[in-house]
Amino acid sequence: MRSITALWLFLLVVPAYITGYAQQQYIIPGASWQDTAGNQINAHGGGILYYNGIYYWYGEIKKGTTWRVPGSTWENYRVNAGGISCYSSKDLLHWKPEGVALQSDATDSTNDLHISKVIERPKVIYNKKTGKFVMWMHIDSQDYSYARSGVAVSDKPEGPFQYIGSVRPNGNMARDMTIFQDDDGRAYHFYSSEENQTMHICELTDDYLSHTKNDHRILVQQAREAPAVCRYNNRFYLFTSGCTGWSPNAASYATADSIMGSWTAHENPCHGRDADSTYHAQSTYVLPVQGQKDTFIFMADRWNKTDLEASLYIWLPLKFNAEGKPDIWWKEEWTIEGAAL
């Protein structure tokens, strides 16, 4: 009788479990977001690649106990570096876990990918000329004095990626970062430099594996980080946050008619309640939605600094008005189709 009862409970629970994920219809900012296996998505500081009809979401794996680095003068909370995760989706709502795209290292403390190091803000782009998927990320030491950019490659979007090494682009410090791939195939590395006081833009080489000498300083002495970039109506938009550690602050954006030209800083694109803290979150990526003209998603992390594994995601529609000004409004729930309205 016990085995029969257990079987009936299993048959009752499992369909409900499966149906729960299958029926999810909305993006709910700030809610726990589970993958198709029923586990919370673990892809922080992430970015998304669209390839052959599938979206791939890469992010930092934050798992385990959060601890504060001894001797830090700021709230330097860490978890052991878990590497980079990958998830895939066709609808931006239901995400299949693809495993670990880039493994961390648990044995060699001198390795850039050792669990004691910082592996942050991975961004992946595809190189049509080489047929390679290229991942760039922020690599650092516990005290953030290393300040370098790491690069890895793979033959498949889900990985595994092979780590090549790290560099200070043209000798510059490099921390928070993103990669922007323009319509002409050229790729650009945006990174916080000069002790996070000035943003740099550096064009990558044709294979995307190293930096050219075309390195441009913008937002000089404005102390911005967490860059996220998009292009709309032949104008470039850069969204950033202030430098306040794990604590949220007001976002701002900058615009340029040429990516390596002059950038003009503007006010906070967020509106309404909690706009002054970017809805208690920090920018990580701006995603153009495929098949929907001029439709973008503003992606951000809501950090839980004392329990980083419990950090959540804020995805909101990013819309542009008739003058080309970006607007972000809080929504309790929304659909991808609705983002185009």
Side-chain angles (χ1 to χ4, degrees):
M1 287 294 293
R2 182 177 298 175
S3 60
I4 294 175
T5 301
L7 176 61
W8 274 108
L9 285 173
F10 176 81
L11 292 174
L12 286 170
V13 170
V14 169
Y17 166 84
I18 295 174
T19 303
Y21 296 108
Q23 289 183 346
Q24 184 175 340
Q25 299 177 2
Y26 302 98
I27 291 177
I28 306 174
S32 177
W33 200 347
Q34 295 172 318
D35 63 26
T36 55
N39 300 310
Q40 184 162 307
I41 294 172
N42 200 329
H44 308 278
I48 292 184
L49 165 75
Y50 181 77
Y51 179 75
N52 280 357
I54 298 175
Y55 295 94
Y56 294 89
W57 180 359
Y58 307 89
E60 309 159 22
I61 298 173
K62 294 194 177 300
K63 193 170 182 62
T65 302
T66 298
W67 47 279
R68 185 171 180 174
V69 177
S72 297
T73 58
W74 62 287
E75 294 181 318
N76 190 1
Y77 291 102
R78 313 288 327 149
V79 293
N80 285 345
I84 305 302
S85 60
C86 178
Y87 297 82
S88 65
S89 175
K90 292 184 178 180
D91 62 3
L92 294 174
L93 189 61
H94 303 92
W95 292 93
K96 174 187 174 183
E98 296 288 353
V100 179
L102 180 69
Q103 292 275 359
S104 58
D105 177 271
T107 59
D108 181 4
S109 62
T110 66
N111 192 316
D112 278 359
L113 303 182
H114 188 255
I115 57 174
S116 66
K117 303 295 178 61
V118 173
I119 309 171
E120 292 181 336
R121 298 190 175 271
K123 304 295 182 286
V124 176
I125 52 177
Y126 176 65
N127 191 305
K128 291 182 179 180
K129 293 181 180 179
T130 65
K132 300 288 187 180
F133 297 87
V134 180
M135 175 189 294
W136 282 93
M137 70 214 85
H138 169 210
I139 298 292
D140 227 318
S141 50
Q142 288 182 10
D143 63 359
Y144 281 77
S145 63
Y146 199 43
R148 297 169 74 89
S149 298
V151 62
V153 296
S154 175
D155 294 324
K156 300 184 297 182
E158 66 272 23
F161 281 77
Q162 179 181 358
Y163 188 69
I164 296 175
S166 66
V167 65
R168 282 192 169 187
N170 293 306
N172 300 312
M173 300 176 76
R175 293 192 178 118
D176 271 15
M177 55 141 287
T178 195
I179 299 292
F180 177 76
Q181 187 177 35
D182 207 354
D183 296 341
D184 60 6
R186 295 182 182 180
Y188 300 87
H189 181 195
F190 286 70
Y191 60 97
S192 296
S193 190
E194 304 172 31
E195 298 291 359
N196 291 0
Q197 295 304 299
T198 298
M199 190 73 63
H200 281 234
I201 308 172
C202 188
E203 184 178 353
L204 298 179
T205 54
D206 286 347
D207 60 7
Y208 301 163
L209 298 180
S210 57
H211 296 82
T212 69
K213 297 296 183 182
N214 188 16
D215 198 308
H216 182 42
R217 299 170 74 235
I218 67 169
L219 305 182
V220 177
Q221 292 297 307
Q222 294 190 32
R224 308 302 298 177
E225 63 179 9
V229 184
C230 70
R231 182 175 182 170
Y232 171 76
N233 276 0
N234 294 319
R235 177 172 291 178
F236 299 92
Y237 293 78
L238 167 63
F239 300 85
T240 60
S241 80
C243 296
T244 55
W246 296 108
S247 300
N249 56 68
S252 70
Y253 74 99
T255 57
D257 294 326
S258 169
I259 199 166
M260 300 301 277
S262 177
W263 286 76
T264 302
H266 302 278
E267 69 280 6
N268 190 350
C270 301
H271 304 282
R273 190 179 68 181
D274 297 325
D276 58 350
S277 67
T278 317
Y279 313 111
H280 306 292
Q282 184 185 42
S283 52
T284 184
Y285 197 71
V286 174
L287 175 65
V289 178
Q290 299 297 315
Q292 292 188 195
K293 180 177 171 56
D294 299 336
T295 302
F296 300 87
I297 298 173
F298 177 79
M299 296 170 50
D301 294 279
R302 181 174 283 177
W303 299 115
N304 184 333
K305 62 186 176 184
T306 58
D307 186 3
L308 288 168
E309 185 177 349
S311 300
L312 299 170
Y313 312 101
I314 303 295
W315 286 22
L316 292 167
L318 168 62
K319 301 184 179 183
F320 294 87
N321 64 22
E323 290 75 39
K325 179 182 176 181
D327 290 313
I328 303 168
W329 289 88
W330 178 260
K331 290 183 178 294
E332 294 294 333
E333 61 182 35
W334 59 281
T335 64
I336 300 298
E337 293 74 16
L341 299 177

